[in-house]
Amino acid sequence: MKKDGDNADTAPPHVAGSAPPLPDTPIEPLNIKVNGKERVFDVDAPELPAWIAQKKLSAGGYPYDKKLKAGDYDETLQILQIELVKAQKWLQVSGQRVLALFEGRDAAGKGGTIFVLHQYLNPRSARNVALGKPTETERGQWYFQRYVTHFPAAGELVSFDRSWYNRASVEPVMGFCTPAEHEQFLKEVPNFERMIRTDGIHFFKFWLDIGQETQLDRFYDRRHSPLKNWKFSPIDVAGLTRWDDYTRARDEMLKRTHSKHAPWIVVRANDKRRARLAVIRRILLSLPYDGRDRDAIGGEDDKIIGEGPSFLSA
């Protein structure tokens, strides 16, 4: 299972065919706007700039000033993962199906969240889908077709590390689709998702939301890590100067595609630990599986998880 698939599934040839920037290949400092202030971000600088370090957790109005303690996180995660195993057994017996989409900006924490979701589940009936750019054949198909191919069968849990919502986020910002294709998608997707729910699939759409300084800190960490530098892609570099464009695309997407039958579950994800627990807890609280221990699962933290565009502006 791919742990982090934060790259777009479509890209122009000069980007899609490029290798990720290597640690010894310099990247020019970029002029970017952060909270209305012009900044210079040098991802190759030997130290993380102080203006990022000071705001990497609190960016975007994040409600906590400290990360969840590692010990508390590990203990709670284990309890929730035990419940996930129970939920999977119920799926296999009942034939119920679960489909969970994970969306968010690059470095929002989608891959890590998916990893802990699947960590102790039987991979025969719990799988993650992280599609690459479409083939020539797929480009000639109905847009949703290649995603539907991977939908869960009876007893399965399937997650998507990025999904059809590329057409509402990455593609319009990076110019990988036309304005007409973008608009057509926004009109069609509510009906498409109504069919998913009508067919009885337990359907979750998660948007992991992070602040700008949080993203810059994670990019810097990727760039300087010998284990994670492969994650820092040309798409990441190109997107660094387009924060506001991505914000507008996100807001339009949530406004047009949030619905009662397929709501957007927004998770404030500056603290990856809290975000991962919030996602798993929401799934567990939504499934009527046998032996569910509500006390063990606990209640939701409404400071970091809510629904729809109104939660982002709260």
Side-chain angles (χ1 to χ4, degrees):
M1 181 181 66
K2 186 176 179 182
K3 186 175 177 181
D4 196 342
D6 280 350
N7 296 324
D9 73 346
T10 55
H14 70 281
V15 173
S18 301
L22 298 173
D24 58 352
T25 304
I27 297 175
E28 293 294 321
L30 295 171
N31 294 312
I32 60 175
K33 185 174 287 187
V34 181
N35 297 320
K37 186 173 183 178
E38 297 291 337
R39 295 283 193 180
V40 176
F41 177 56
D42 183 0
V43 74
D44 286 334
E47 293 185 5
L48 182 69
W51 59 269
I52 296 177
Q54 292 167 0
K55 294 277 291 182
K56 63 183 182 181
L57 182 61
S58 62
Y62 191 71
Y64 291 100
D65 56 10
K66 293 182 180 179
K67 292 182 178 181
L68 182 65
K69 292 180 179 179
D72 293 340
Y73 166 72
D74 291 340
E75 181 180 352
T76 304
L77 178 61
Q78 183 179 64
I79 292 171
L80 296 181
Q81 287 175 327
I82 290 171
E83 291 295 310
L84 280 172
V85 171
K86 290 159 63 175
Q88 186 181 37
K89 291 179 180 177
W90 168 77
L91 287 174
Q92 292 169 331
V93 171
S94 66
Q96 297 287 312
R97 295 164 290 166
V98 173
L99 177 62
L101 312 185
F102 289 87
E103 297 288 344
R105 300 178 193 263
D106 292 320
K110 299 180 291 295
T113 303
I114 291 167
F115 176 78
V116 297
L117 173 66
H118 285 264
Q119 190 171 8
Y120 293 105
L121 299 182
N122 185 338
R124 291 191 178 93
S125 59
R127 51 191 169 86
N128 183 55
V129 179
L131 299 180
K133 70 173 186 175
T135 64
E136 286 300 319
T137 299
E138 289 171 333
R139 286 193 180 98
Q141 295 174 343
W142 176 48
Y143 177 74
F144 297 99
Q145 188 168 341
R146 75 190 193 115
Y147 297 102
V148 173
T149 300
H150 300 278
F151 274 24
E156 287 190 329
L157 179 153
V158 173
S159 59
F160 274 83
D161 188 343
R162 291 199 183 277
S163 67
W164 48 90
Y165 278 103
N166 277 320
R167 181 139 293 180
S169 54
V170 177
E171 290 188 21
V173 171
M174 300 302 294
F176 301 163
C177 71
T178 67
E181 288 171 332
H182 179 213
E183 178 62 24
Q184 181 181 5
F185 171 85
L186 292 174
K187 288 180 177 178
E188 289 181 350
V189 74
N191 288 330
F192 172 65
E193 292 175 350
R194 184 176 287 107
M195 288 189 290
I196 293 173
R197 289 301 305 271
T198 301
D199 200 52
I201 296 175
H202 298 275
F203 183 41
F204 301 89
K205 300 191 304 189
F206 291 104
W207 176 266
L208 304 187
D209 199 67
I210 57 173
Q212 191 170 7
E213 292 92 343
T214 310
Q215 185 187 55
L216 294 173
D217 171 65
R218 293 179 184 177
F219 280 164
Y220 183 89
D221 179 60
R222 288 181 178 184
R223 176 66 170 167
H224 291 263
S225 168
L227 296 175
K228 296 186 288 186
N229 59 59
W230 62 270
K231 295 183 180 182
F232 194 64
S233 73
I235 297 295
D236 295 333
V237 177
L240 279 170
T241 60
R242 300 180 181 179
W243 177 269
D244 291 339
D245 294 335
Y246 274 109
T247 299
R248 284 188 286 271
R250 176 204 66 186
D251 291 349
E252 180 75 359
M253 179 186 75
L254 265 65
K255 177 183 176 182
R256 300 277 298 274
T257 65
H258 175 68
S259 63
K260 186 175 182 180
H261 60 270
W264 275 106
I265 305 163
V266 179
V267 182
R268 295 184 172 125
N270 285 9
D271 180 358
K272 293 180 181 180
R273 294 167 182 166
R274 285 189 172 92
R276 292 169 183 174
L277 298 180
V279 165
I280 296 174
R281 189 172 279 126
R282 168 57 69 98
I283 292 173
L284 293 172
L285 289 172
S286 302
L287 299 178
Y289 60 93
D290 295 333
R292 184 175 64 175
D293 188 337
R294 290 292 298 267
D295 291 335
I297 297 169
E300 292 193 318
D301 182 351
D302 58 11
K303 291 182 180 179
I304 67 165
I305 187 168
E307 292 187 0
S310 61
F311 185 70
L312 281 176
S313 59

